[in-house]
Amino acid sequence: MRIILRQYFNGGNYFSEYVGVSATGKFFGGKLVGKLRPQFWIRKTTGEYAWHDNQLTCTAQLNYYLGNFYIFGWYMTPGKYQETHSGVISKSPSKYQIEIGWGKNGWNISASAYNFAHTSWEDLKETLTSEYYSFDRTTFGTQHHARYTISVSYTIGYGKKVQRKNEISGTGTADSAILK
């Protein structure tokens, strides 16, 4: 007679490391800024749910500035990993966003679209495989579904005089009037 225990605890070791590079390039006098961050993951577990996987992931980002207007976009490749203390392997889809906006004198108006071509409500696909028990499940939610936002904000300077340089590019910062 055999007994199946539904315990997802992996009694072995967990090893996860990555090697990555982050590169930023500015083109056309700083109007176009690109960032690229590839990472090579090495993951291995031992124990009941022993698993190993090597994976290359990447995040890319572009910003384009035209006067007070900007366009921003990013993309992240799909991911796959095993949870730290269990044998559940999770797969997440790619993610991406595009945003357009305008900023001047403390005002910032923007509209963005996140995962605009993703119509599914699937967040994660999870699998567990062992000698006597296995499952495949799909988690549903809003994390990877398409969504759209419109934002209007105004930054108020108070206390000491603050410097506004180029708020939409993120290169200008306002010194704290409280902590000085």
Side-chain angles (χ1 to χ4, degrees):
M1 172 168 46
R2 296 180 185 211
I3 297 173
I4 297 175
L5 296 175
R6 283 186 52 183
Q7 180 179 3
Y8 305 139
F9 182 75
N10 190 19
N13 294 321
Y14 181 85
F15 175 79
S16 177
E17 290 292 332
Y18 73 89
V19 176
V21 176
S22 182
T24 302
K26 293 185 178 184
F27 310 95
F28 308 115
K31 290 183 179 183
L32 178 65
V33 179
K35 295 181 181 183
L36 189 65
R37 196 177 99 201
Q39 296 174 320
F40 182 73
W41 290 88
I42 302 165
R43 294 185 174 111
K44 182 179 182 177
T45 59
T46 60
E48 178 65 29
Y49 304 110
W51 180 75
H52 66 89
D53 187 59
N54 297 333
Q55 180 184 28
L56 179 65
T57 62
C58 190
T59 303
Q61 177 180 324
L62 279 176
N63 297 301
Y64 183 71
Y65 305 102
L66 185 60
N68 293 327
F69 293 91
Y70 68 93
I71 186 165
F72 163 78
W74 63 268
Y75 174 81
M76 182 183 292
T77 58
K80 180 180 178 182
Y81 60 93
Q82 186 179 39
E83 295 177 8
T84 308
H85 297 293
S86 77
V88 177
I89 297 170
S90 300
K91 295 179 185 177
S92 62
S94 62
K95 300 172 212 130
Y96 47 90
Q97 178 179 358
I98 190 163
E99 179 178 322
I100 58 171
W102 171 87
K104 185 175 182 181
N105 297 330
W107 285 99
N108 191 354
I109 302 169
S110 66
S112 79
Y114 175 80
N115 280 356
F116 49 87
H118 193 143
T119 58
S120 172
W121 292 96
E122 292 179 4
D123 274 347
L124 290 173
K125 290 198 178 271
E126 299 173 313
T127 59
L128 177 79
T129 305
S130 69
E131 186 177 352
Y132 302 111
Y133 179 76
S134 299
F135 72 75
D136 290 313
R137 81 177 155 212
T138 302
T139 305
F140 294 92
T142 60
Q143 186 176 355
H144 295 96
H145 190 67
R147 66 178 167 264
Y148 307 92
T149 59
I150 295 175
S151 172
V152 177
S153 64
Y154 180 74
T155 303
I156 299 171
Y158 58 92
K160 291 186 177 185
K161 186 176 181 179
V162 294
Q163 293 179 347
R164 289 192 174 96
K165 295 180 183 174
N166 188 351
E167 292 173 318
I168 60 173
S169 70
T171 58
T173 59
D175 294 332
S176 173
I178 298 171
L179 298 176
K180 288 190 175 182

